[in-house]
Amino acid sequence: MHLELLTKQVANLSRVTGNFVKNEIRKIQLSDVETKGHNDFVTYVDKASERRLVRELGKLLPEAGFIAEENPELKAHDEYNWIIDPLDGTTNFIHGVPLYSISIALLHNKEIVLGVVFEVNLQECFYAWQNGGAFLNGHPISVSQTNNLKESLLATGFPYSDFGKMDAYIDLFKHLMKSSHGLRRLGSAAVDLAYVACGRYDGFYEYALHPWDVAAGSIIVEEAGGTVSDFKGSRSFLFGEEIIASNTKNYQELLAIVQQYF
């Protein structure tokens, strides 16, 4: 398998699909919004985007299955699986907040081998493949060189349905507010990870996440020289619902602080 070629084909697909998503923002109505669960929304745009991705990815790699957000009936396969989020940041999208993305990753057995995150409004395409480095619109990227949290800008996400760890989360939030340059919350975990990869953020953490939220972004961070784990410091972040991503210089300090609260 030629991973570089396949990654660039997926990146082109993300751009085409992203243009479709962007054009639909002028058409979306409140009546188009469906509720899957508490604060968990989906629109016809999510579904149409996913159908496009499934169709075209199926052509690129017919032997692969799918792990996708909007269609649980899609079947996973034993060896290769696409992990896709057709619109990461749906809540932003339906409210007209111009930050949402398309996230696509390829899982080979238990290892992510390529990832693409396309931020629709800025037309920024982040991508990486195994042992190939990480890129933004064709230019190499790398994580920041900030070597302590005191000088770091961090990102996180707010849980929207799983509030069981809310007290610990708020206490951690307070701690990091006081001991960093600040925290940001964009509303798209895929973009948060991409921003760590290109050095805009020095670290990111969040819980109550799904594989399609983090699969693509995680390999982009790692190929950009960063470190990714769950809150225990293990590699179980893909299906473990929690993630820390950071440059290597900050990682141990950020992990230690997160572990004080979780």
Side-chain angles (χ1 to χ4, degrees):
M1 179 182 293
H2 196 307
L3 281 177
E4 179 179 357
L5 175 60
L6 184 58
T7 303
K8 290 179 178 179
Q9 291 172 321
V10 174
N12 287 334
L13 173 60
S14 75
R15 291 186 181 97
V16 173
T17 308
N19 288 336
F20 159 75
V21 170
K22 189 172 184 178
N23 288 335
E24 295 302 305
I25 190 63
R26 305 180 188 92
K27 306 173 187 177
I28 195 78
Q29 302 291 328
L30 187 60
S31 58
D32 296 319
V33 180
E34 301 174 32
T35 301
K36 297 186 291 182
H38 182 66
N39 290 332
D40 191 5
F41 306 112
V42 64
T43 71
Y44 75 88
V45 180
D46 301 68
K47 295 178 180 180
S49 174
E50 186 169 277
R51 286 194 298 270
R52 287 167 176 253
L53 295 175
V54 169
R55 181 182 67 244
E56 298 304 320
L57 292 170
K59 295 176 183 177
L60 291 176
L61 197 64
E63 63 268 34
F66 289 89
I67 300 170
E69 180 174 13
E70 305 306 343
N71 189 349
E73 295 181 1
L74 290 170
K75 302 298 183 183
H77 288 185
D78 292 335
E79 186 175 7
Y80 286 102
N81 284 285
W82 294 108
I83 304 179
I84 58 177
D85 191 334
L87 182 51
D88 187 39
T90 299
T91 302
N92 282 352
F93 179 76
I94 63 178
H95 287 279
V97 178
L99 196 142
Y100 34 85
S101 65
I102 292 169
S103 176
I104 308 168
L106 181 62
L107 186 69
H108 179 218
N109 296 323
K110 296 183 179 180
E111 192 169 16
I112 305 164
V113 294
L114 71 81
V116 173
V117 173
F118 181 68
E119 200 291 300
V120 173
N121 290 277
L122 292 178
Q123 298 281 292
E124 289 190 325
C125 190
F126 302 84
Y127 57 90
W129 63 92
Q130 190 176 51
N131 301 320
F135 301 85
L136 165 56
N137 290 347
H139 301 286
I141 56 174
S142 63
V143 295
S144 71
Q145 296 301 308
T146 309
N147 58 20
N148 58 71
L149 287 184
K150 183 179 179 181
E151 298 176 341
S152 294
L153 181 63
L154 305 174
T156 189
F158 302 147
Y160 56 83
S161 60
D162 179 2
F163 301 114
K165 302 176 182 178
M166 181 59 71
D167 289 344
Y169 175 84
I170 294 299
D171 289 340
L172 173 60
F173 192 85
K174 291 177 181 178
H175 182 122
L176 291 172
M177 282 177 65
K178 298 174 183 177
S179 56
S180 71
H181 276 187
L183 291 100
R184 300 291 183 266
R185 198 274 191 178
L186 297 181
S188 168
V191 174
D192 286 323
L193 288 164
Y195 281 13
V196 172
C198 70
R200 294 173 185 170
Y201 291 149
D202 302 290
F204 167 69
Y205 68 95
E206 189 173 350
Y207 80 91
L209 292 170
H210 303 286
W212 45 81
D213 296 316
V214 302
S218 64
I219 188 174
I220 299 172
V221 170
E222 291 180 329
E223 288 294 330
T227 302
V228 183
S229 76
D230 63 12
F231 289 179
K232 298 179 182 64
S234 82
R235 295 280 301 168
S236 300
F237 59 85
L238 185 59
F239 295 98
E241 300 186 346
E242 57 188 34
I243 193 168
I244 293 174
S246 175
N247 70 31
T248 54
K249 295 181 178 182
N250 276 346
Y251 169 73
Q252 289 295 338
E253 186 181 0
L254 180 58
L255 175 64
I257 292 173
V258 170
Q259 289 181 338
Q260 291 178 26
Y261 296 91
F262 283 87

